[in-house]
Amino acid sequence: MTEPLLSIRDLVTEFATPDGVVHAVDGVSYDVYPGETLGVVGESGSGKSVTVMSILGLIPQPPGRVANGEVLLEGRDLLTLSEREMRLVRGKEIAMIFQDPMTSLNPVLTVGDQLSEAIVTHDADIGEDAARERVVGLLELVGVPNADDRFDQYPHEYSGGMRQRAMIAMAIANQPKVLIADEPTTALDVTIQAQVLEVLQKAQDETNAGTILITHDLGVIAEMADRVVVMYGGRVVESGTAEEIFHSPKHPYTLGLLSSLTRPNVDLERLEPIPGQPPSLINLPSGCSFHPRCHLGQGRAVCRSEVPPLLELGVGRRSACHFHEEMSQEVARVEQETGAHFDGEL
Amino acid sequence: MTDQGRPTRREHGLQTPADFPPTHASDVHDEREVLLDDDYSDGAQIEARSQWQLFRRKFLRHKLAMGSLVFLVIIGIGAFFAEQLAPYGYEEIDVLRANTAPTFEGLHFFGTDQLGRDYFSRVLYGTRTSLQVAVVVALLSTAIGTAVGAAAGFYRGWVDSVLMRLTDLVLILPGLAVLLVAAALFGQGSPLRIALILALLFWVSLARVVRGVFLSLREMEYVQAARASGASDLRIMFRHMLPNTIGPIIVNLTLVLASAILVEATLAFLGFGVNPPIPALGRLISDGRSSMQSMWWLIIMPGVTLVSIALAINFVGDGLRDGLDPTQQET
Amino acid sequence: MSTTATAASEQDLHARSPLGTEILRVESLTKHFPIRGGLFRRQVGAVQAVDDVSFAVRAGETVGLVGESGCGKSTTGRCIVRLLDPTDGQIYFKGVDLAGLTSRRMRELRREIQIMFQDPYASLNPRISVNEIIGEPLRIFGRYRGEHKGKERVAELMRLVGLNPEHGNRFPHEFSGGQRQRIGVARALALDPQLIILDEPVSALDVSIQAQVINLLDELQERLGLAYLFIAHDLSVVRHLCDRVAVMYLGKIVEFGTKHEIFDNPTHPYTQALLSAVPITDPRMRGKRERIMLEGDVPSPSNPPSGCRFRTRCWKAEEICATEVPELTDRFGHGHPSACHFAEPRAVLRVDPS
Ligand SMILES: Nc1ncnc2c1ncn2[C@@H]1O[C@H](COP(=O)(O)OP(=O)(O)O)[C@@H](O)[C@H]1O
Ligand SMILES: Nc1ncnc2c1ncn2[C@@H]1O[C@H](COP(=O)(O)OP(=O)(O)O)[C@@H](O)[C@H]1O
Ligand code: SF4
Ligand SMILES: [Mg+2]
Ligand SMILES: [Mg+2]
């Protein structure tokens, strides 16, 4: 493989709250390569958003604190940059698309003005006409019809899907190296989601940006991601190519997600949910933080006492389970329970 | 759903707690696959902490509010037991010590006036009167405001239109002028009467707040759920809506309390307050006005008392608002 | 249709019907919300949230109501439990027209149809304990005190949905989202209803918790012989839980059929587009499936297109679509009605083998 574009190393981010310290991100490492889509999946509260907010230096301080780690963008550690230097990185080298475009667009400015501003901020010499031309071009690229008229409209005149397209246009306006999309389609209906995902794919092809796609929707991951990182309780528990993750999961949590999943094209006999609740990030369970909910690890002392290391099982294939070798039997068991066929057609 | 071919419930291998016997063996537990959440309590974020505890914790952390509350409690007790605590009666004259500045001699902490009446005692009694008026105003206007707002927000439609026009009307009345006219017409003097007049003007803001809250609560799913299970209007209002309006109501109550004290003083100052001989803080200030140059304590002592009480009530109100607001993040 | 049930049929109304017999029938249900404007708040238009919707639910089955947000699913559900007054149309429970009832009888029948909501945070009153929440329907119907042993019933309900009855005196905020939904299920079950309207009961939950609640609903149905009207926008969940499915678009049912007819043999272009937009949870299938990309957005329900409401986004639309409202009728003799002039089966979920 080529050199990674963005490397996160042992990132630790905490929040001080009256109930105690929330260990939102607890030693997370992953890489993003140019042109790839890295899916980050996990249930809500697993630290997906806090990780990327840390990358961008957007953690509110206090209560938050990036306590440890490195974020290397082409070798340069972003965590050591000043706020001024970071501002040049945000929007230019790393751009972000949020879940709710309504809160990330200013309601009193036209969409066109906001997009132009995004361009002018990082390219002061571009003239007004040239900026407009580029914005209209971008809006056309993301499939906003009548882009020239739409330029002068306000965000509330756009539908949800159109707003998200405008956000994508804004994100790619400066040809970023890394594109971060945090739950970009969660608020949208499926037909609109399909449109937006297609646009996102196109935007990525256009810019060849390395993309981090955060979502709790495994369907979106399956459609979009080249590689996948699975997070649980602020830690990475498994990573691999999308195919590996979906067809031969090496961590019981990943398997639990898959066996909880209803499928649009397959009749399952039943679902096998992960029992219990997600962990408290203030008071993570000892050892493997998944152990209270884990079928494979139940009753085994080592799961309760020792934090399993995130082992390298192959190139880019990692699992943080003491018993990852037993995962194929576990998959077979779940296949029998649910009627899903992990290795065949899903 | 097709019943054949459905696999039997899996044997999960995790034990159900022993203290958790199956109910009716007939209808409930075969090996439950739906796991009891308690089996996995290690990681769960359930924490038994009642709303009251949460509130208390947040309120206690609010130092200013706590301090103010303590201050108010002391003042309140002092005023309530004025007869027992005051060194002198409010009309009692210490001829030898007329026109004395605050001193410990003869326990005239706040000095005496021209007639030799002990000012500390008068302020204490005055505080009692002012607080009485304010509390009655606050309770009465809260009752009116809540009833009007609740009816308007719950029934909407024409009930709402009528009540809100009424509210608007009271709102645009020039308050002070109305008060003066009313005081002149219905006679000044009795604290209760003053309180009634004030209450009739003070319910408006609460009515609007309660209406707003009711309008939004009306659409809440738990209210819809109660309605769907056949709950009556009264039940919905008293059980599901009012308790969830208690925060704004209490906060508003403190605001009314503070401004009723101030407005009563203003009235007294203009000569329309509670009548002598019972002193009220406003009257004391107004009386002290004439000799302000030479006898500063006559205006400063009741004035400072008045302002501190009003401020303290406002601080407590802030604390309550923060404490009662479930969306407010603790920092 | 008899609107005044006799004393004998009164009994039947509250008794369980044999599985498979029709218990709920919705006929030409229409709900328009007035839009008021101007100085005197006169009605200037109407949101046609639900328009001429008909379907039936049988004892013990699950009927899914799917469609994108704003298509009128919740409004339909709320009309059935009378949280909203229908503008037009009838709702029959075992043949009795609910609209024709006195309010007392209506209240009695209400017991038999319960509703459960989507939002685990908004659907429980934060100020009252879980015991009281679950016990409330019992109190309202005078089935709490005395020989009814309300307290025991509440405990039994809590166990039934997998909650520990010892936690009954806790308040909703002390529970997680999934547990709150269980509390909602318990409340809906309190009066032992025959039909439960589930308005997106799992949409707000994470997958693993979602699966817990789905399994719970599934199990309760089997055990208690319940019928569900399952409202959802997630087609995968619908495939898992439902026996028959109604697809809604802009206030109308566009297609209705058994789960397999709808998923494997959809005939309405909207159903086809919807299904082809659902992400398939298998990366190997990526790009191997035909994709129908719909243009544009859903039109406003206050001014729906003439004729077929889907025509503005439909790739098959011709002139007739603008002039004639397509009837929801069985066009292929599959017992699977479709409201499209050019309906034809197309297996969009099947992956082409190449
Ligand atoms: N500003 C904050 N203060 C305290 N805790 C926070 C803050 N922001 C996030 N957290 C906590 O961090 C954890 C991870 O959150 P997040 O990364 O947003 O999860 P997700 O995986 O759903 O994106 C959560 O438990 C959340 O409560
Ligand atoms: N109380 C109401 N007043 C006016 N319009 C409403 C009301 N409730 C729903 N609507 C409108 O009716 C349409 C259908 O809404 P709804 O039934 O909630 O859709 P769904 O549940 O399918 O998302 C939407 O356009 C919505 O805006
Ligand atoms: S380490 Fe143990 S508890 Fe953790 S996932 Fe693996 S088997 Fe389960
Ligand atoms: Mg997030
Ligand atoms: Mg809805």
Side-chain angles (χ1 to χ4, degrees):
Chain A
M1 262 196 227
T2 49
E3 283 296 292
L5 192 57
L6 183 76
S7 290
I8 303 168
R9 287 285 165 268
D10 300 318
L11 186 70
V12 176
T13 304
E14 308 168 333
F15 293 93
T17 72
D19 294 319
V21 177
V22 174
H23 304 280
V25 175
D26 192 11
V28 164
S29 305
Y30 56 73
D31 293 332
V32 186
Y33 292 88
E36 77 163 348
T37 298
L38 176 72
V40 179
V41 69
E43 290 174 284
S44 55
S46 57
K48 308 182 295 293
S49 300
V50 171
T51 305
V52 294
M53 290 311 217
S54 307
I55 297 175
L56 287 171
L58 292 175
I59 295 294
Q61 292 176 336
R65 185 170 81 99
V66 178
N68 188 28
E70 292 178 332
V71 176
L72 303 171
L73 177 65
E74 295 180 322
R76 187 165 54 132
D77 187 357
L78 299 183
L79 295 182
T80 61
L81 297 187
S82 70
E83 174 57 26
R84 269 218 11 246
E85 292 166 313
M86 252 338 266
R87 229 172 287 151
L88 294 177
V89 172
R90 276 182 229 133
K92 173 81 182 124
E93 295 181 71
I94 305 182
M96 180 116 184
I97 302 162
F98 293 95
Q99 169 176 347
D100 183 1
M102 206 49 193
T103 54
S104 23
L105 285 169
N106 183 340
V108 300
L109 294 178
T110 65
V111 172
D113 281 345
Q114 295 182 59
L115 279 157
S116 309
E117 199 187 312
I119 292 172
V120 173
T121 313
H122 295 283
D123 181 5
D125 298 333
I126 192 171
E128 194 177 319
D129 289 342
R132 183 178 175 114
E133 203 171 305
R134 245 178 75 194
V135 170
V136 171
L138 282 167
L139 287 176
E140 273 164 4
L141 177 77
V142 297
V144 173
N146 311 326
D148 205 41
D149 300 334
R150 288 284 195 161
F151 183 98
D152 296 309
Q153 287 186 341
Y154 292 89
H156 70 89
E157 296 174 82
Y158 278 50
S159 66
M162 283 299 154
R163 279 198 289 269
Q164 202 54 299
R165 287 167 193 252
M167 281 306 297
I168 294 174
M170 191 182 301
I172 60 170
N174 295 304
Q175 297 272 332
K177 294 174 185 145
V178 178
L179 198 57
I180 301 176
D182 190 352
E183 309 268 2
T185 58
T186 301
L188 305 173
D189 278 313
V190 274
T191 59
I192 309 296
Q193 165 170 293
Q195 295 170 358
V196 169
L197 290 180
E198 193 183 55
V199 167
L200 191 62
Q201 189 65 59
K202 197 162 143 196
Q204 189 194 4
D205 296 345
E206 200 76 18
T207 55
N208 199 34
T211 302
I212 303 177
L213 175 63
I214 297 175
T215 175
H216 66 271
D217 186 337
L218 285 154
V220 171
I221 292 282
E223 294 274 352
M224 299 287 291
D226 301 311
R227 289 189 311 121
V228 181
V229 165
V230 183
M231 286 186 71
Y232 183 78
R235 297 175 183 154
V236 173
V237 294
E238 180 169 5
S239 71
T241 64
E243 225 179 288
E244 288 164 344
I245 294 290
F246 279 86
H247 292 284
S248 58
K250 286 284 179 246
H251 194 283
Y253 175 64
T254 313
L255 178 62
L257 286 180
L258 294 172
S259 63
S260 296
L261 206 58
T262 51
R263 319 236 176 197
N265 55 336
V266 180
D267 286 314
L268 298 172
E269 280 160 40
R270 56 186 301 284
L271 303 178
E272 182 171 283
I274 305 173
Q277 310 293 323
S280 152
L281 295 177
I282 293 174
N283 216 339
L284 271 185
S286 62
C288 172
S289 54
F290 188 59
H291 86 255
R293 308 174 74 187
C294 183
H295 186 275
L296 182 59
Q298 51 172 308
R300 305 206 210 191
V302 61
C303 297
R304 259 177 285 135
S305 57
E306 272 173 52
V307 179
L310 186 58
L311 282 185
E312 192 92 18
L313 311 179
V315 184
R317 186 90 179 100
R318 297 180 298 169
S319 163
C321 172
H322 291 304
F323 298 102
H324 61 85
E325 289 114 346
E326 294 176 24
M327 277 305 292
S328 20
Q329 292 98 289
E330 188 67 1
V331 169
R333 182 188 66 81
V334 170
E335 279 181 339
Q336 191 149 44
E337 296 280 346
T338 62
H341 299 288
F342 284 80
D343 217 27
E345 185 179 306
L346 277 176
Chain B
M1 199 121 287
T2 49
D3 20 353
Q4 299 97 354
R6 202 168 263 282
T8 51
R9 318 223 170 276
R10 114 190 127 186
E11 297 191 19
H12 196 283
L14 289 152
Q15 293 114 28
T16 1
D19 62 347
F20 204 77
T23 6
H24 302 187
S26 59
D27 82 61
V28 195
H29 292 235
D30 42 345
E31 240 293 352
R32 291 302 306 276
E33 81 78 11
V34 178
L35 279 143
L36 297 163
D37 303 296
D38 269 24
D39 299 354
Y40 302 92
S41 54
D42 318 39
Q45 290 170 325
I46 315 169
E47 211 173 315
R49 195 191 286 152
S50 74
Q51 305 219 303
W52 166 242
Q53 283 170 307
L54 272 175
F55 163 71
R56 208 174 44 190
R57 223 173 66 154
K58 279 200 256 182
F59 187 80
L60 287 180
R61 198 167 298 124
H62 212 289
K63 298 227 169 50
L64 202 52
M66 267 315 289
S68 302
L69 186 63
V70 171
F71 172 75
L72 283 177
V73 167
I74 293 171
I75 297 266
I77 291 175
F80 191 79
F81 294 106
E83 320 232 322
Q84 287 79 28
L85 290 178
Y88 296 85
Y90 55 85
E91 289 287 66
E92 206 174 322
I93 292 170
D94 184 353
V95 200
L96 296 178
R97 291 208 187 82
N99 295 336
T100 315
T103 167
F104 285 106
E105 221 171 289
L107 301 177
H108 297 305
F109 309 123
F110 286 10
T112 61
D113 65 5
Q114 299 91 330
L115 297 175
R117 289 179 296 195
D118 176 47
Y119 230 58
F120 180 70
S121 305
R122 284 180 74 72
V123 167
L124 208 52
Y125 278 101
T127 305
R128 183 173 74 176
T129 318
S130 295
L131 283 181
Q132 277 169 347
V133 172
V135 166
V136 174
V137 173
L139 292 181
L140 213 59
S141 64
T142 299
I144 303 175
T146 305
V148 169
F154 189 83
Y155 289 107
R156 302 187 296 189
W158 66 267
V159 178
D160 184 30
S161 302
V162 170
L163 290 176
M164 281 304 111
R165 292 302 84 73
L166 179 71
T167 315
D168 292 345
L169 191 74
V170 177
L171 201 65
I172 55 162
L173 288 178
L176 203 53
V178 174
L179 278 173
L180 293 179
V181 171
L185 277 182
F186 302 113
Q188 18 176 304
S190 139
L192 189 62
R193 218 175 279 172
I194 302 269
L196 275 177
I197 297 170
L198 288 180
L200 286 178
L201 290 171
F202 270 55
W203 56 270
V204 195
S205 59
L206 181 61
R208 296 190 145 196
V209 171
V210 171
R211 171 180 177 268
V213 176
F214 262 53
L215 281 177
S216 61
L217 284 181
R218 221 177 173 282
E219 305 304 323
M220 290 297 279
E221 288 185 346
Y222 62 81
V223 171
Q224 302 275 319
R227 201 183 292 280
S229 41
S232 64
D233 288 356
L234 282 182
R235 186 181 183 95
I236 290 173
M237 261 195 267
F238 281 98
R239 195 148 172 75
H240 296 289
M241 295 172 83
L242 265 185
N244 286 291
T245 322
I246 210 77
I249 291 179
I250 287 181
V251 171
N252 197 275
L253 192 124
T254 62
L255 292 178
V256 170
L257 211 54
S259 48
I261 287 188
L262 294 174
V263 171
E264 191 278 327
T266 314
L267 279 182
F269 193 79
L270 296 172
F272 293 93
V274 175
N275 246 357
I278 322 163
L281 288 175
R283 177 121 258 141
L284 290 176
I285 296 171
S286 148
D287 289 351
R289 179 170 51 154
S290 50
S291 35
M292 208 169 86
Q293 311 290 337
S294 51
M295 297 163 69
W296 52 268
W297 59 91
L298 292 191
I299 199 156
I300 295 293
M301 290 309 179
V304 167
T305 309
L306 181 78
V307 172
S308 342
I309 293 177
L311 268 181
I313 295 177
N314 271 317
F315 289 146
V316 171
D318 282 351
L320 287 173
R321 184 170 44 230
D322 296 353
L324 289 169
D325 183 358
T327 61
Q328 183 113 12
Q329 268 298 321
E330 307 175 58
T331 40
Chain C
M1 200 58 51
S2 78
T3 47
T4 46
T6 59
S9 67
E10 188 85 7
Q11 287 273 314
D12 301 341
L13 284 179
H14 294 292
R16 292 275 138 138
S17 305
L19 295 188
T21 51
E22 182 179 300
I23 55 172
L24 177 83
R25 190 138 62 84
V26 173
E27 265 179 24
S28 308
L29 179 70
T30 300
K31 177 69 191 176
H32 291 180
F33 294 101
I35 304 171
R36 297 184 188 281
L39 192 53
F40 298 102
R41 317 227 350 102
R42 273 184 315 143
Q43 181 167 348
V44 294
V47 178
Q48 305 185 16
V50 174
D51 204 74
D52 196 13
V53 159
S54 308
F55 62 91
V57 181
R58 302 175 194 143
E61 78 167 344
T62 304
V63 172
L65 205 52
V66 282
E68 293 173 289
S69 56
C71 71
K73 307 180 295 293
S74 298
T75 303
T76 305
R78 281 164 202 233
C79 284
I80 294 171
V81 292
R82 283 308 172 117
L83 282 174
L84 292 170
D85 281 324
T87 310
D88 204 357
Q90 287 80 42
I91 295 156
Y92 298 101
F93 180 74
K94 297 193 179 174
V96 178
D97 184 354
L98 296 188
L101 292 178
T102 62
S103 56
R104 240 197 83 244
R105 295 245 353 257
M106 176 62 217
R107 238 175 72 96
E108 275 301 305
L109 271 195
R110 191 166 229 167
R111 258 173 39 209
E112 303 295 345
I113 310 177
Q114 293 290 315
I115 186 165
M116 182 192 159
F117 296 97
Q118 166 177 9
D119 188 339
Y121 290 88
S123 57
L124 304 177
N125 185 343
R127 304 261 172 195
I128 63 181
S129 72
V130 168
N131 273 337
E132 290 172 83
I133 290 173
I134 299 174
E136 180 167 39
L138 298 171
R139 289 180 195 275
I140 291 171
F141 282 87
R143 299 178 160 213
Y144 193 86
R145 287 167 196 286
E147 96 263 34
H148 294 297
K149 303 209 179 109
K151 233 176 138 174
E152 281 169 32
R153 172 78 177 140
V154 169
E156 181 191 328
L157 284 163
M158 285 187 76
R159 273 188 290 260
L160 192 60
V161 298
L163 291 169
N164 184 343
E166 282 164 26
H167 296 168
N169 48 14
R170 293 189 177 177
F171 287 83
H173 72 267
E174 294 167 46
F175 294 85
S176 65
Q179 291 171 319
R180 283 160 175 253
Q181 286 308 64
R182 289 171 190 239
I183 298 170
V185 176
R187 171 174 60 191
L189 287 174
L191 293 168
D192 208 5
Q194 299 179 46
L195 169 68
I196 304 184
I197 316 268
L198 300 161
D199 191 353
E200 313 236 12
V202 297
S203 300
L205 306 174
D206 272 315
V207 261
S208 71
I209 308 296
Q210 186 171 326
Q212 294 175 2
V213 176
I214 289 174
N215 280 1
L216 173 69
L217 291 171
D218 206 358
E219 215 179 282
L220 288 172
Q221 177 169 51
E222 249 178 83
R223 189 174 295 168
L224 305 174
L226 296 164
Y228 292 146
L229 177 63
F230 186 84
I231 297 174
H233 64 262
D234 183 337
L235 286 134
S236 322
V237 175
V238 167
R239 175 169 195 142
H240 187 74
L241 269 181
C242 299
D243 302 304
R244 295 189 299 150
V245 181
V247 181
M248 278 186 86
Y249 183 79
L250 210 54
K252 283 187 173 292
I253 292 182
V254 295
E255 186 162 8
F256 191 94
T258 62
K259 165 172 84 181
H260 287 113
E261 283 290 318
I262 295 292
F263 280 83
D264 299 337
N265 229 0
T267 64
H268 195 285
Y270 177 64
T271 313
Q272 293 163 355
L274 202 58
L275 285 171
S276 88
V278 181
I280 288 195
T281 44
D282 180 353
R284 289 182 191 161
M285 300 296 148
R286 198 183 290 173
K288 289 191 182 158
R289 175 164 69 118
E290 65 174 329
R291 259 302 162 85
I292 303 169
M293 278 292 170
L294 284 183
E295 299 285 313
D297 296 298
V298 184
S300 159
S302 57
N303 186 20
S306 65
C308 172
R309 292 190 172 188
F310 184 58
R311 74 175 159 83
T312 52
R313 301 171 79 196
C314 183
W315 65 98
K316 285 184 167 178
E318 284 178 27
E319 226 173 278
I320 182 178
C321 302
T323 53
E324 255 179 63
V325 179
E327 293 287 322
L328 180 66
T329 52
D330 188 353
R331 290 165 196 267
F332 302 95
H334 297 171
H336 161 190
S338 172
C340 171
H341 294 299
F342 304 104
E344 78 188 308
R346 178 169 169 189
V348 285
L349 277 179
R350 202 158 305 144
V351 177
D352 77 64
S354 60

